[in-house]
Amino acid sequence: MSTVTFESATRHYPGSDKAAVNALDLHIADGEVLVLVGPSGCGKSTSLRMLAGLEDVTEGRILIGDRDVTDVASKDRDIAMVFQNYALYPHMTVADNMGFALKIAKVPAKERRERVEEAARILDLTEYLDRKPKALSGGQRQRVAMGRAIVRSPQVFLMDEPLSNLDAKLRVQTRTQIAALTRRLGVTTVYVTHDQVEAMTMGDRVAVLKDGLLQQVATPRELYDRPVNVFVAGFIGSPAMNLLELPTTEHGVQFGDTDHPIARDVLAAIAGDTVVVGVRPEDLERAPDGEGLAVDIDVVEELGADAYVYGHTWIAGARHDITARVDGRRPPAAGSRVHVRPRLGHVHVFDAATGERLDDGIRDVADAEVPVTAIDATA
Ligand SMILES: Nc1ncnc2c1ncn2[C@@H]1O[C@H](COP(=O)(O)OP(=O)(O)O)[C@@H](O)[C@H]1O
Ligand SMILES: [Mg+2]
């Protein structure tokens, strides 16, 4: 077990005019599960492959514990990888697949068997040890791939979209198993996914990448409540946060027919006469007619306890999509018009030009019993 440190780690592929990963700074604690997330092509796999020693580091350094491994061969880094395409050997049994790396490393047969049996027990694979991979389900094969990594007791686990080949239901089950397993083993884990729900459920912390640049690294709660910019705000959360460019007023922003208050220091920091306001679907509440934004509902998605309404509104002549969570027992009908406004204190404020966060985000009720914006705006 060990820490992992990326120090300004940069990967510039030959012939490309920009870095695939640009000056990545990241410190991962011993035993932590750190998830790298971002859209396709943002540099997740490249970051992981640099750590694995499968990709050269153009600039910067990578450390495992105190040891600089930037120029250390992959096989000498004491890491184990699980890929999306877990490629088990079809002609070998589960036990032989799991023990193969140990055999190559000339671990004696008895110890090999013990370690494989131990991993099989942890992964609930004991009764399948003599089977060939083709006689296993997708989820079981994926667990064999995990087992292959576990038997090596590495310092660090690296996983690159290991669940992508599984169907939706199995993916949810398996991600819960992997999360429980990595915590139980206490092995430092770097886990790559493009799926923000997977990232939020599995990571102790989540690092969000875009275009090779680290945007934010934080706990799932912090990312959700205090995204540092418009990109993270829109990427994290499902359904996504509503992001609207709105005119500022003396005390806040013009949210349709409602003048929504914003803290004075935040207002003072706004450069132009508009600002981007983010409101999560669950933070929009129904307002009386003539208040807030008038939303024409296109689709209603009923989930039992909750319902999501997807509609559109018009702001300064431009059409904007709006998503709101409503009471599942009394959802409005598609085709109808409702009025919504943000719950007081539950807006995120971003600079319209740079996309950077200006306010300090949603606070716990314990932090501030009365929403901060309400106090400041009336002071
Ligand atoms: N071997 C390579 N040679 C050149 N460019 C590459 C290579 N591998 C990846 N890239 C480019 O680097 C960027 C990051 O890729 P990658 O790390 O695979 O992203 P992700 O895993 O987040 O989808 C992309 O623009 C991709 O096209
Ligand atoms: Mg990738």
Side-chain angles (χ1 to χ4, degrees), residues 51-54 67 69-79:
L51 173 56
L54 300 173
R67 179 173 173 232
V69 296
T70 314
D71 299 313
V72 173
S74 181
K75 66 175 177 39
D76 298 324
R77 291 191 186 194
D78 201 5
I79 49 149

Side-chain angles (χ1 to χ4, degrees), residues 44-45 160-161 192:
K44 304 178 296 291
S45 294
D160 194 348
E161 314 233 8
V192 162

Side-chain angles (χ1 to χ4, degrees), residues 197-341:
V197 176
E198 206 169 294
M200 297 288 274
T201 51
M202 297 198 56
D204 293 320
R205 285 187 306 153
V206 177
V208 184
L209 285 173
K210 178 190 176 228
D211 297 335
L213 291 167
L214 179 63
Q215 306 289 304
Q216 183 170 11
V217 52
T219 62
R221 169 55 52 195
E222 178 86 8
L223 277 185
Y224 196 78
D225 285 348
R226 267 179 277 268
V228 295
N229 58 31
V230 167
F231 175 77
V232 177
F235 189 76
I236 298 290
S238 177
M241 186 189 286
N242 297 287
L243 291 160
L244 301 165
E245 185 167 346
L246 300 174
T248 52
T249 62
E250 194 182 342
H251 294 301
V253 290
Q254 196 62 45
F255 199 91
D257 292 322
T258 295
D259 191 350
H260 189 88
I262 302 276
R264 271 192 304 184
D265 56 333
V266 177
L267 268 181
I270 297 172
D273 47 15
T274 64
V275 74
V276 173
V277 169
V279 190
R280 296 220 177 264
E282 67 270 28
D283 292 331
L284 280 172
E285 60 182 18
R286 295 286 288 275
D289 287 1
E291 282 183 43
L293 280 177
V295 177
D296 291 318
I297 298 175
D298 301 312
V299 175
V300 179
E301 193 177 85
E302 296 198 43
L303 302 172
D306 293 321
Y308 285 99
V309 296
Y310 299 87
H312 61 273
T313 191
W314 297 86
I315 298 168
R319 185 189 154 118
H320 292 270
D321 290 337
I322 299 283
T323 307
R325 189 177 74 183
V326 296
D327 183 350
R329 306 206 181 277
R330 284 179 296 275
S336 66
R337 171 173 284 194
V338 296
H339 289 76
V340 297
R341 66 182 168 207

Side-chain angles (χ1 to χ4, degrees), residues 39-46 49 84 160-161 192-194:
S40 177
C42 70
K44 304 178 296 291
S45 294
T46 302
R49 290 169 59 82
Q84 169 183 352
D160 194 348
E161 314 233 8
V192 162
T193 178
H194 66 273

Side-chain angles (χ1 to χ4, degrees), residues 114-270:
E114 282 166 8
R115 281 164 72 172
V116 167
E117 280 169 5
E118 161 76 7
R121 218 166 29 71
I122 292 173
L123 290 162
D124 225 354
L125 287 170
T126 306
E127 58 185 301
Y128 306 107
L129 279 174
D130 296 325
R131 287 203 195 170
K132 299 276 173 62
K134 69 172 188 304
L136 300 177
S137 70
Q140 289 163 342
R141 282 181 215 163
Q142 209 286 338
R143 298 214 301 278
V144 176
M146 287 289 300
R148 231 172 17 183
I150 290 176
V151 294
R152 296 169 56 193
S153 340
Q155 301 266 21
V156 187
F157 282 140
L158 308 184
M159 304 191 197
D160 194 348
E161 314 233 8
L163 307 182
S164 302
N165 284 347
L166 305 181
D167 64 51
K169 189 171 167 220
L170 200 54
R171 206 154 60 216
V172 171
Q173 266 173 23
T174 314
R175 89 178 175 220
T176 314
Q177 288 170 345
I178 293 182
L181 183 69
T182 48
R183 297 221 158 83
R184 177 166 157 209
L185 296 172
V187 178
T188 311
T189 301
V190 186
Y191 187 101
V192 162
T193 178
H194 66 273
D195 178 343
Q196 58 88 22
V197 176
E198 206 169 294
M200 297 288 274
T201 51
M202 297 198 56
D204 293 320
R205 285 187 306 153
V206 177
V208 184
L209 285 173
K210 178 190 176 228
D211 297 335
L213 291 167
L214 179 63
Q215 306 289 304
Q216 183 170 11
V217 52
T219 62
R221 169 55 52 195
E222 178 86 8
L223 277 185
Y224 196 78
D225 285 348
R226 267 179 277 268
V228 295
N229 58 31
V230 167
F231 175 77
V232 177
F235 189 76
I236 298 290
S238 177
M241 186 189 286
N242 297 287
L243 291 160
L244 301 165
E245 185 167 346
L246 300 174
T248 52
T249 62
E250 194 182 342
H251 294 301
V253 290
Q254 196 62 45
F255 199 91
D257 292 322
T258 295
D259 191 350
H260 189 88
I262 302 276
R264 271 192 304 184
D265 56 333
V266 177
L267 268 181
I270 297 172

